[in-house]
Amino acid sequence: MVARKVFARPVSLKDVATHFCPGCQHGVVHRLVAETLDHFNAAGRTIGVASVGCSVFLYDYFDINVVEAPHGRAPAVATGVKRVHKNSLVFTYQGDGDLAAIGTSEIIHAANRGEGLTVIFVNNTTYGMTGGQMAPTTLPGQRTTTSSAGRNTASDGHPIRMAELLATLDGTAYSARVAVDSPGHVLEAGKAIRRAFGYQVEGRGFAFVEVLTTCPTNWGMDPVAANRRIAAEVIPFFPLGTFVDRSGDER
Amino acid sequence: MLKVVIEEERCKGCALCVDACPAHLIALGSRFNCHGAIPAIIAECDQARCTSCAMCARMCPDAAISIYRELKALQDADSRQ
Ligand SMILES: Cc1ncc(C[n+]2csc(CCOP(=O)(O)OP(=O)(O)O)c2C)c(N)n1
Ligand code: SF4
Ligand code: SF4
Ligand code: SF4
């Protein structure tokens, strides 16, 4: 019987084991970004900007050039990289602690300036690397190591919906939120990431994709239960969708 | 023919593939791999029932699953288009 390979590891992803916990969906997002780089045959001219968090080892996993940015500053570092290397594909890959807490200023101004970057924002509703503290994206009532009675919106504020917030800025060409909790959603997420990189390939400006993911370890759940929580609790608060999509003709 | 190949030493035993397979063909095994995880397995006889839909592989955070499809099935699909 002759067989054809219909699904395999993308070549832009190094053939190594990751340090991510079992079931951590950083791995899925890494694969989807690598599939997109394969699609554009762009690994050789791509520069990733890694953030501080569990995804700090981008350079160990992607077969591309990577710059390490100080906590939250990836969009500022990427701005410099892109302005110097105009023909490179430049993306940041940031967690919600990195992008929506310490790096709020950098992301808002990079988007507002309409920098020609692609930003992959991995929202797992917590600070994964440091042991599961409350993030600006932590859901109301969610227990974390710094909100042991659950997030209290009266004292802690409400979770920030970054994809919607950035969509209000004129500099943002594309902003979408996706999830990877089902095979169908993984397909949709891959399309959004490809679109966001396509915007950069075509020089259309700032593109942002928020991906809802699990952190089974800090949620204190097994990976399958954590994955179910995405549809049950996370998507109802962080709706999936495209919040702005300015084609070249409209601009 | 093997349609699903699970790379045992890459698997972390998260069971997301087990949960994703619509035909319930994948299960966690009974012995540990070198990293201390219990890898996912598919029985030889269940390979024939696999539709090569790749739902398991899409959910895998560790890119541990490769999917193959019979060329005949591919040709039939092409001719239907
Ligand atoms: C200036 C500075 N402040 C704080 C820290 C500690 N720190 C490391 S990672 C992190 C948050 C990571 O959370 P997130 O961005 O959500 O990524 P995840 O680990 O969940 O993927 C923090 C606060 C640091 N490394 N540097
Ligand atoms: S702590 Fe959470 S985000 Fe970090 S690798 Fe583990 S599961 Fe993933
Ligand atoms: S390819 Fe589809 S049918 Fe085959 S094992 Fe994976 S999920 Fe099940
Ligand atoms: S999804 Fe991947 S890592 Fe998880 S059990 Fe299946 S093969 Fe192993």
Side-chain angles (χ1 to χ4, degrees):
Chain A
M1 186 69 68
V2 194
R4 191 200 285 172
K5 216 172 197 175
V6 289
F7 191 98
R9 176 185 199 90
V11 296
S12 301
L13 201 61
K14 287 184 190 166
D15 195 6
V16 295
T18 67
H19 74 292
F20 297 128
C21 305
C24 173
Q25 291 174 333
H26 266 304
V28 178
V29 183
H30 274 44
R31 194 190 71 230
L32 293 176
V33 171
E35 284 174 359
T36 287
L37 298 182
D38 281 7
H39 171 79
F40 289 111
N41 195 17
R45 60 184 180 102
T46 298
I47 304 171
V49 183
S51 62
V52 175
C54 284
S55 59
V56 73
F57 298 126
L58 233 51
Y59 47 82
D60 277 341
Y61 304 143
F62 284 92
D63 201 6
I64 60 172
N65 291 300
V66 172
V67 186
E68 201 63 54
H71 207 5
R73 278 42 170 174
V77 172
T79 295
V81 172
K82 180 71 183 183
R83 287 186 179 197
V84 173
H85 298 279
K86 292 189 172 56
N87 295 325
S88 292
L89 283 188
V90 181
F91 74 95
T92 73
Y93 184 112
Q94 304 174 256
D96 47 318
D98 188 89
L99 183 142
I102 192 169
T104 319
S105 172
E106 281 74 13
I107 189 63
I108 287 181
H109 290 290
N112 195 48
R113 293 191 304 270
E115 301 292 344
L117 306 170
T118 303
V119 172
I120 306 298
F121 171 46
V122 178
N123 178 359
N124 59 14
T125 76
T126 190
Y127 289 14
M129 183 192 231
T130 44
Q133 290 82 4
M134 180 170 59
T137 45
T138 296
L139 295 185
Q142 182 176 335
R143 289 173 195 272
T144 69
T145 49
T146 49
S147 61
S148 50
R151 182 182 187 147
N152 175 356
T153 53
S155 55
D156 309 329
H158 292 266
I160 302 182
R161 295 184 180 93
M162 287 306 299
E164 289 89 328
L165 190 149
L166 294 175
T168 64
L169 301 174
D170 291 344
T172 304
Y174 180 69
S175 179
R177 183 183 293 111
V178 294
V180 290
D181 63 321
S182 67
H185 280 166
V186 172
L187 275 176
E188 293 296 315
K191 278 186 205 157
I193 289 172
R194 190 184 293 187
R195 194 162 176 80
F197 275 91
Y199 262 85
Q200 189 175 163
V201 169
E202 292 157 18
R204 291 202 212 157
F206 183 87
F208 180 87
V209 180
E210 174 171 344
V211 190
L212 302 177
T213 64
T214 57
C215 176
T217 301
N218 287 303
W219 291 4
M221 299 171 113
D222 70 72
V224 171
N227 191 46
R228 297 224 166 101
R229 176 179 182 247
I230 296 285
E233 293 175 30
V234 186
I235 294 176
F237 194 92
F238 291 110
L240 306 185
T242 303
F243 303 102
V244 67
D245 189 349
R246 291 184 233 275
S247 77
D249 340 313
E250 289 166 32
R251 301 197 94 205
Chain B
M1 175 205 140
L2 295 184
K3 295 177 190 164
V4 186
V5 177
I6 304 172
E7 214 179 317
E8 196 177 302
E9 289 306 323
R10 277 299 153 69
C11 173
K12 292 176 183 163
C14 72
L16 288 173
C17 57
V18 176
D19 197 46
C21 177
H24 309 291
L25 303 181
I26 306 179
L28 292 188
S30 52
R31 53 182 203 86
F32 293 100
N33 65 13
C34 293
H35 309 288
I38 294 184
I41 53 168
I42 172 164
E44 192 95 31
C45 56
D46 281 335
Q47 293 275 357
R49 296 173 57 206
C50 168
T51 60
S52 306
C53 70
M55 289 195 189
C56 53
R58 267 181 231 295
M59 291 304 291
C60 178
D62 290 277
I65 306 180
S66 310
I67 304 290
Y68 298 80
R69 188 174 290 172
E70 288 172 22
L71 215 50
K72 187 178 173 312
L74 281 171
Q75 281 159 354
D76 289 350
D78 286 348
S79 64
R80 273 199 299 274
Q81 276 170 11

